[in-house]
Amino acid sequence: MAILTDVQVALVKSSFEEFNANIPKHTHRFFTLVLEIAPTAKDLFSFLKGTNEVPQNNPDLQAHAGKVFKLTYEAAIQLQVNGAVATDATLKNLGSVHVSKGVIDAHFPVVKEAILKTIKEVVGDKWSEELNNAWTIAYDELAIIIKKEMKDAA
């Protein structure tokens, strides 16, 4: 369990807003990074199967990546307010979906690395160790809950 400070949450919020300012570009970059880090992850996503490159302006890709970033942002807020990420129906469902798609624990560090690299590119010279730590803590705490729900769903 971790608590984020007001400053850390403000950093996550402002970088999340910058991410949202260009969803097509940033979601495409996120999935490009995922596949650079773990090329075999392509088979986990219906919108990437049968293609050799990440499609531009794909609504399913944008929705999926957008949800990953939004859930991580929301986890940051929960950590500030409650000191923990609460399990809810969305996260319970994500556990089941991840199990059905073949997601394993080893995939989570790949996603985290791609999130951090994407945010670093989004914010440019505003990147800092504190911003990195805030996104890392939020994602790690979210991942703990999703992994728990995956175990419960298996």
Side-chain angles (χ1 to χ4, degrees), residues 52-138:
N52 290 326
E53 57 186 51
V54 179
Q56 294 281 347
N57 299 314
N58 181 296
D60 292 334
L61 177 146
Q62 291 173 10
H64 190 103
K67 188 173 189 176
V68 170
F69 281 84
K70 183 174 188 244
L71 286 169
T72 306
Y73 162 71
E74 290 172 348
I77 293 171
Q78 288 183 43
L79 289 168
Q80 176 195 29
V81 174
N82 304 320
V85 177
T87 301
D88 61 14
T90 298
L91 297 182
K92 284 184 182 296
N93 183 56
L94 271 177
S96 296
V97 170
H98 280 77
V99 168
S100 72
K101 298 291 184 181
V103 173
I104 59 173
D105 283 359
H107 294 133
F108 285 85
V110 171
V111 172
K112 179 168 75 173
E113 184 178 342
I115 287 173
L116 294 173
K117 286 181 175 182
T118 301
I119 291 297
K120 184 175 184 177
E121 290 178 16
V122 166
V123 301
D125 61 2
K126 291 183 266 182
W127 182 254
S128 67
E129 192 63 33
E130 191 163 23
L131 178 56
N132 178 75
N133 290 341
W135 275 95
T136 296
I137 292 166

Side-chain angles (χ1 to χ4, degrees), residues 24-51:
K25 176 183 176 184
H26 301 313
T27 57
H28 183 269
R29 183 64 182 143
F30 169 73
F31 270 105
T32 299
L33 288 165
V34 167
L35 296 184
E36 285 175 4
I37 299 162
T40 58
K42 177 175 86 165
D43 295 333
L44 295 171
F45 305 99
S46 60
F47 48 84
L48 295 176
K49 286 183 180 173
T51 181

